[in-house]
């Protein structure tokens, strides 16, 4: 009976010491959270795993074969006796683009209406024709007017310069900070831009702006990204925003502003504004398998006056406390981070019996029977209506059951603490210290000592 009374007094003393010492496991204000298995699906968070990059071929237009002429194309034309004297060597031109062969003849631009003005004949439409078809049309026009004799005409037609579309590309990601790489056949002019307020480089959105000339049939999103730093990096949003053309009038501008105010921020592809100007298109760069891309072929084609915008990704953080090192940690953009991985990421204790989770003295293995591993995780999560919910996670269960590993969401506060039984066990490990020594000599003489230290 005295022994039982003594044991009871020791346990009672340990409990009183925990209470008097303000044990966090006893006074924890967030210990009584909602278990993960009882959490509504809308609070679990949408997983990122399983999403795949958008096929890059969807960002590029299919060029026609052969090349089709249009306004602002520059032709090289030589017509014996009309544009060039007989027995004279035609002039040669070397195009800036390596994709074009050397051109022969005098430069003749195609006008905005798709026609060319040539000597001695009326305006001739070459819109949509190939080089061979245009050459045949010019030959027929001169023979029909009896300026050239059929069978004796000599007409040479080549392409000196393709028409271009002038677009602006603004990038807030690191992919746009590598400078400008000269690209044959195009003109790229870059200038530095700083977006947003801030006092240090880490709080600033620094990017680059490019004025890019895209040749015909290369005037698409993929070519614009390729000439301005490549695909958006991990510090960029997973979408490309295209703002179309110029405002035609005040009505067009007001329509765009009105649509911007009601536009949902999560819209994947959205067209706004009146026809003919001011449209906005959002192209997602990652999708889930099975989802059908809603990108139309005309969405990725760029025209003069369009603006391509790669927006910086707003950094998403979660916060830690309790037995975890207090701090702010970034959440990955393209893959999930569950609560177990988050604790490992910040260097928190897991399955650490016998180790000191609060290593202030520089010792790892503690005396006594060892610390029990803390297993109470509280995740404080904000709700869509501005409130918060406390989610209780059993770390021991989470290590065995993946369903217990709740995904960490932006602005979560992850607290690791001891349960009351773990706190009492830790206290007992500090109070009761066992030292056991065993000696064996030649396998015959064995001796051992055990000591128990009680305060």
């Amino acid at each position: 009976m005295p022994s039982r009374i003594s044991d009871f007094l020791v346990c009672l003393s340990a409990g009183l010491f925990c209470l008097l010492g303000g044990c966090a496991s006893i006074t924890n204000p967030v210990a009584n959270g909602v278990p993960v298995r009882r959490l509504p699906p809308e609070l679990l968070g949408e997983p990122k795993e399983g999403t795949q990059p958008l096929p890059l071929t969807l960002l590029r237009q299919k060029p026609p074969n052969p090349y089709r002429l249009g306004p602002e194309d520059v032709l090289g034309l030589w017509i014996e006796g009309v544009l060039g004297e007989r027995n004279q060597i035609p002039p040669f031109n070397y195009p800036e683009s390596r994709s074009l062969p050397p051109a022969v003849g005098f430069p003749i631009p195609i006008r905005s209406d798709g026609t060319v003005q040539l000597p001695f004949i009326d305006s001739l439409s070459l819109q949509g024709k190939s080089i061979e078809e245009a050459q045949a049309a010019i030959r027929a026009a001169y023979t029909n007017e009896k300026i050239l004799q059929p069978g004796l005409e000599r007409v040479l037609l080549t392409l000196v310069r393709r028409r271009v579309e002038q677009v602006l590309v603004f990038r807030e990601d690191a992919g746009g900070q590598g400078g400008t790489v000269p690209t044959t056949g195009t003109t790229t002019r870059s200038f530095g831009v700083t977006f947003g307020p801030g006092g240090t480089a880490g709080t600033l959105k620094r990017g680059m702006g490019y004025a890019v000339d895209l040749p015909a049939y290369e005037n698409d999103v993929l070519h614009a990204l390729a000439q301005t730093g490549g695909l958006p990096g991990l510090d960029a949003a997973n979408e490309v925003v295209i703002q179309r053309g110029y405002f035609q009038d005040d009505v067009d501008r007001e329509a765009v502003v009105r649509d911007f105010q009601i536009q949902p921020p999560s819209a994947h592809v959205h067209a706004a504004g009146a026809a003919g100007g001011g449209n906005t298109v959002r192209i997602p760069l990652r999708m889930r398998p099975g989802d059908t891309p809603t990108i139309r072929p005309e969405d990725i084609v760029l025209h003069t006056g369009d603006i391509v915008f790669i927006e910086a990704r707003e950094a998403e953080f979660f916060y830690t406390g309790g037995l975890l090192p207090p701090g702010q940690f970034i959440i990955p953009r393209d893959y999930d981070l569950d609560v177990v991985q988050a604790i490992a990421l910040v260097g928190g204790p897991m399955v650490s019996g016998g180790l000191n989770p609060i290593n202030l003295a520089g010792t790892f293995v503690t005396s006594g029977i060892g610390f029990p591993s803390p297993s109470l995780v509280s995740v404080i999560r904000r709700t869509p209506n501005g409130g918060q919910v406390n989610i209780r996670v059993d770390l021991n269960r989470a290590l065995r059951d993946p369903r217990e590993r709740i995904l960490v969401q932006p602005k979560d506060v992850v607290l690791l603490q001891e349960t009351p039984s773990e706190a009492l066990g830790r206290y007992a490990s500090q109070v009761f210290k066992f030292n056991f020594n065993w000696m064996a000599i030649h396998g015959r003489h064995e001796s051992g000592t055990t000591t128990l230290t009680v305060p």
Side-chain angles (χ1 to χ4, degrees), residues 405-447:
R405 300 184 184 182
I406 187 172
L407 299 180
V408 178
Q409 300 297 306
K411 300 181 181 179
D412 278 355
V413 180
V414 181
L415 304 173
L416 177 63
Q417 293 179 322
E418 299 170 320
T419 63
S421 60
E422 292 167 351
L424 291 176
R426 175 177 56 83
Y427 179 79
S429 70
Q430 294 174 335
V431 173
F432 301 99
K433 298 181 180 180
F434 292 88
N435 296 320
F436 182 76
N437 299 321
W438 183 267
M439 297 177 60
I441 302 175
H442 299 296
R444 292 177 298 174
H445 303 283
E446 299 177 353
S447 64

Side-chain angles (χ1 to χ4, degrees), residues 386-407:
Q388 70 177 29
V389 61
N390 176 33
I391 305 170
R392 181 187 179 105
V393 180
D394 185 339
L395 185 57
N396 293 328
R397 181 192 295 268
L399 291 172
R400 300 190 302 267
D401 187 357
R403 294 173 296 181
E404 190 79 6
R405 300 184 184 182
I406 187 172
L407 299 180

Side-chain angles (χ1 to χ4, degrees), residues 179-398:
T180 302
V181 179
T183 304
T184 304
T186 62
T187 301
T188 306
R189 299 176 296 277
S190 64
F191 49 92
V193 182
T194 300
F195 300 91
T200 64
T203 60
L204 292 174
K205 295 181 180 179
R206 298 187 180 274
M208 297 291 291
Y210 300 84
V212 184
D213 294 342
L214 299 174
Y217 305 118
E218 294 181 6
N219 53 315
D220 49 46
V221 172
L222 188 61
H223 281 89
L225 296 179
Q227 296 184 30
T228 57
L231 294 174
L234 293 178
D235 56 341
N238 260 326
E239 68 174 3
V240 177
V241 180
I242 304 172
Q243 299 177 6
R244 293 293 188 190
Y246 302 100
F247 297 122
Q248 304 297 325
D249 49 34
D250 291 340
V251 176
D252 185 18
R253 182 182 184 279
E254 292 176 0
V256 173
V257 173
R258 182 171 57 254
D259 186 86
F260 174 78
Q261 293 174 345
I262 64 175
Q263 179 175 255
S266 60
H268 281 180
V269 178
H270 183 76
N279 295 337
T280 299
V281 176
R282 296 179 178 271
I283 301 176
L285 296 180
R286 294 185 71 91
M287 301 188 69
R288 296 188 177 279
D291 291 349
T292 301
T294 56
I295 304 172
R296 302 171 298 177
E298 59 268 25
D299 289 332
I300 55 94
V301 178
L302 304 176
H303 303 283
T304 296
D306 288 351
I307 299 173
V308 179
F309 181 43
I310 306 297
E311 186 177 7
R313 169 180 175 251
E314 294 294 337
E316 297 175 336
F317 298 97
F318 71 95
Y319 304 87
T320 58
L323 296 179
L324 297 176
Q328 172 183 274
F329 301 89
I330 193 168
I331 295 178
R333 189 192 69 171
D334 295 331
Y335 61 90
D336 296 326
L337 185 71
D338 61 41
V339 64
V340 175
Q341 294 169 333
I343 294 175
L345 175 67
V346 304
M350 286 191 299
V351 195
S352 57
L355 302 181
N356 190 344
I358 308 177
N359 185 21
L360 300 180
T363 59
F364 288 92
V365 180
T366 61
S367 57
I369 61 177
F371 283 105
S373 180
S375 63
L376 174 59
V377 181
S378 298
V379 180
I380 303 175
R381 175 163 299 173
R382 296 189 182 185
T383 58
N385 58 1
Q388 70 177 29
V389 61
N390 176 33
I391 305 170
R392 181 187 179 105
V393 180
D394 185 339
L395 185 57
N396 293 328
R397 181 192 295 268

